[in-house]
Amino acid sequence: MITLQDVIAALTGELLENSRMVFTETVIDSRKAIPGSLFVALGGEKSDGHQYVKAAFKNGAVCALIHKDILENFPILDLREGNSKPPIRIPTTPFCIRVNDSLSALQEIARFWRQKQSLRVIGITGSVGKSSSKELIAEILSHKYHTFKNPGNYNNEIGLPLTILNLGSGYERLVAEMGFYFPGEITFLCEIARPDIGVVTNVGTVHAERAGSQSVIAQGKSELIQALPPAPQGFAVLNYDDPYVRAMADITRADVLFYGLDQKSDIWADEIQGRGLKGIQFKLHYENHSISMEVPILGRHSVQTILRAAAVAFLEGMSWREVTEGLMQCSTQLRLVAVQSKSGALILDDTYNATPESTLAALDLLAELKGQKIAVLGDMLELGQYEQLGHEVVGRRAAQVVSHLIAVGPRGRTIADTARQDGLPATAITWVEDALQAADILKYNLNSGDIVLIKGSHGLRMDRIASILEESV
């Protein structure tokens, strides 16, 4: 783990002798502080970490990184730029290190720590599928390498540095998801993480509200590919089926490996069959070899995620046997979770987030299953100029698949209206304002054999529906 000596060196360039303090963990939430941890006090609109320094110390933190005055009279080591510095003397613990800006200091320390590591980094970005790709790539690589990944949604200018600082010694691979909201963000993250392999899933419409058009989103995602080192160290793993991603091959110094369903790809799949809740079956092709396999991951769309994981594993020197065994034994479930309600209905909980692309994929899975199909579909947020079209496309597909549609939220009206216009009877369509109203309708009207897909953007908190249905009698 990172040491106090590393922190001082990253912030001042000075080597501190006779300091053996090792930080067990780096945290920004005082409630997550453990004995020996480093607490980073970040400013915020709703909550300011400087108010919780005392709480962090109470939970065991031994040092806090601050950039504001705090109420408590803890010892402070002032490392702000522009100050004349006497020889550095470490105060008694717990103590604070004062800097000009704690977020910038966090990022600088992470950059320093990454440079000391000999591991290889796999960076992943894309509009849809980056989190599930991260999970599966990390799981497959862990069959051969000591592998670390960023937890949850630690994919931004705060989460990625925290991930790097919590790297222990001995890790050989880091799988890091990288989010994109504005131009230059991924470039900045790459300067910290220094990825060797870059994986791009696709360029969809999510975040168009903030980023703009798909072409602007593509430019932002391509920052990962442009940041890669040249061959033979660097590899760009690109989706051949997505023209925006395929074009990124022209702007990278790295070697390119294409994956997809097109036979022009370097690694590709065909003979794809959805097997419902048993997973998927397909034939995998790479370097003049092929093998048929069954993988316990739900949905035909998951083949693309599997191809990304296999591509990275092959590039990292894993054999066909290691890759195929890892895939067939994988425990990763790619966001969608199947649970049984007390009524006997099957609930497909895919409420982590929603885009037109991921919702269509979930509806395709629903179409494979036997039973009365009910879809609870909510607003898809941050689509910008694609908002109307995105909800209309989902409504048309829902009309082809479901027996009953429950649309949630103001944008859900577009899904409902389009489904009715495309032939789904008005009596089979219900619109509600929020997730709790949808849950109230379902918990009294589900029967054994019903299949319910729940899908909507995280902001609608549609995950509450599945929880209520699981508990309902």
Side-chain angles (χ1 to χ4, degrees):
M1 306 299 288
I2 193 165
T3 67
L4 176 60
Q5 189 176 56
D6 294 315
V7 170
I8 300 296
L11 296 176
T12 68
E14 296 186 32
L15 292 177
L16 188 66
E17 298 181 359
N18 301 321
S19 174
R20 298 180 179 179
M21 183 180 293
V22 177
F23 296 119
T24 55
E25 196 167 3
T26 304
V27 298
I28 59 171
D29 186 336
S30 62
R31 295 167 296 183
K32 296 181 179 179
I34 62 175
S37 59
L38 170 65
F39 173 66
V40 182
L42 299 178
E45 296 179 2
K46 297 181 179 179
S47 180
D48 192 326
H50 292 81
Q51 299 173 2
Y52 301 97
V53 171
K54 183 178 180 180
F57 287 160
K58 184 177 180 180
N59 288 335
V62 293
C63 181
L65 205 61
I66 64 171
H67 65 259
K68 296 180 180 179
D69 292 332
I70 59 175
L71 295 175
E72 298 80 13
N73 189 29
F74 293 114
I76 293 178
L77 177 62
D78 195 338
L79 298 183
R80 285 176 291 180
E81 292 182 7
N83 289 357
S84 58
K85 298 184 181 66
I88 295 174
R89 292 184 175 85
I90 304 303
T92 56
T93 58
F95 68 96
C96 300
I97 296 177
R98 183 151 187 174
V99 293
N100 294 82
D101 180 78
S102 55
L103 175 56
S104 297
L106 169 69
Q107 294 161 346
E108 191 59 40
I109 297 166
R111 185 180 289 110
F112 176 88
W113 185 238
R114 165 64 183 100
Q115 291 173 354
K116 292 187 67 174
Q117 308 303 309
S118 59
L119 80 171
R120 283 174 61 81
V121 175
I122 297 91
I124 305 167
T125 193
S127 297
V128 178
K130 56 183 178 291
S131 295
S132 55
S133 297
K134 173 197 69 179
E135 296 293 332
L136 189 56
I137 289 170
E139 180 170 355
I140 302 304
L141 289 178
S142 67
H143 285 261
K144 184 170 184 175
Y145 302 106
H146 193 29
T147 303
F148 196 70
K149 64 184 179 183
N150 47 355
N153 60 350
Y154 274 36
N155 62 4
N156 59 14
E157 77 281 3
I158 298 173
L160 185 63
L162 283 173
T163 297
I164 291 172
L165 289 181
N166 287 323
L167 271 169
S169 60
Y171 280 102
E172 300 170 288
R173 300 294 185 273
L174 168 64
V175 185
E177 176 185 340
M178 296 182 178
F180 165 75
Y181 295 102
F182 52 85
E185 181 173 19
I186 291 181
T187 295
F188 179 75
L189 296 178
C190 288
E191 289 172 354
I192 296 174
R194 296 170 57 198
D196 303 284
I197 294 180
V199 181
V200 183
T201 64
N202 46 51
V203 175
T205 52
V206 66
H207 304 318
E209 187 172 69
R210 282 179 281 185
S213 66
Q214 274 186 285
S215 60
V216 173
I217 295 171
Q219 290 173 15
K221 305 295 186 186
S222 72
E223 292 174 8
L224 169 58
I225 302 306
Q226 296 178 70
L228 296 173
Q233 178 186 350
F235 292 98
V237 179
L238 303 178
N239 185 350
Y240 190 88
D241 300 333
D242 186 318
Y244 286 107
V245 179
R246 186 168 65 241
M248 295 179 190
D250 298 331
I251 57 172
T252 184
R253 302 174 296 166
D255 273 339
V256 174
L257 187 147
F258 286 116
Y259 69 90
L261 305 185
D262 193 307
Q263 295 186 21
K264 296 177 183 177
S265 307
D266 299 298
I267 180 169
W268 52 284
D270 63 358
E271 301 181 16
I272 304 166
Q273 296 182 32
R275 304 186 69 242
L277 298 180
K278 294 181 180 179
I280 50 176
Q281 179 178 314
F282 59 95
K283 181 175 280 189
L284 178 68
H285 305 263
Y286 179 61
E287 289 188 339
N288 299 318
H289 296 285
S290 62
I291 188 171
S292 295
M293 64 173 65
E294 294 181 6
V295 176
I297 296 177
L298 302 183
R300 291 168 57 93
H301 62 285
S302 297
V303 170
Q304 292 278 4
T305 304
I306 292 166
L307 287 170
R308 294 170 202 133
V312 172
F314 282 130
L315 290 175
E316 290 301 277
M318 295 181 69
S319 68
W320 267 91
R321 180 184 58 80
E322 291 169 327
V323 172
T324 54
E325 287 182 358
L327 287 170
M328 289 189 284
Q329 297 171 9
C330 69
S331 59
T332 297
Q333 188 45 258
L334 308 185
R335 294 298 184 193
L336 189 148
V337 178
V339 296
Q340 205 82 23
S341 74
K342 289 192 174 181
S343 67
L346 179 67
I347 311 299
L348 302 179
D349 181 2
D350 195 7
T351 54
Y352 177 75
N353 216 335
T355 65
E357 297 87 350
S358 65
T359 305
L360 292 174
L363 286 167
D364 288 344
L365 172 62
L366 184 63
E368 295 176 11
L369 304 177
K370 293 182 180 180
Q372 167 135 311
K373 302 175 179 67
I374 302 167
V376 187
L377 304 178
D379 292 353
M380 296 176 289
L381 306 178
E382 300 184 18
L383 299 184
Q385 61 185 294
Y386 305 104
E387 180 176 287
Q388 182 74 17
L389 176 61
H391 288 84
E392 289 175 353
V393 167
V394 166
R396 284 194 289 272
R397 181 56 176 151
Q400 299 169 348
V401 173
V402 307
S403 306
H404 195 100
L405 169 66
I406 300 178
V408 183
R411 299 165 186 82
R413 281 190 182 275
T414 300
I415 297 175
D417 292 344
T418 305
R420 185 175 61 252
Q421 293 166 10
D422 272 49
L424 190 64
T427 54
I429 301 172
T430 305
W431 176 82
V432 295
E433 292 182 351
D434 58 39
L436 294 180
Q437 291 180 11
D440 285 339
I441 293 171
L442 287 168
K443 68 182 180 182
Y444 298 114
N445 293 284
L446 289 183
N447 301 301
S448 179
D450 291 348
I451 305 169
V452 185
L453 169 67
I454 308 172
K455 183 76 172 168
S457 282
H458 185 67
L460 273 70
R461 287 298 315 278
M462 292 181 67
D463 56 301
R464 294 177 293 180
I465 300 175
S467 298
I468 291 171
L469 295 181
E470 284 183 75
E471 297 169 359
S472 298
V473 177

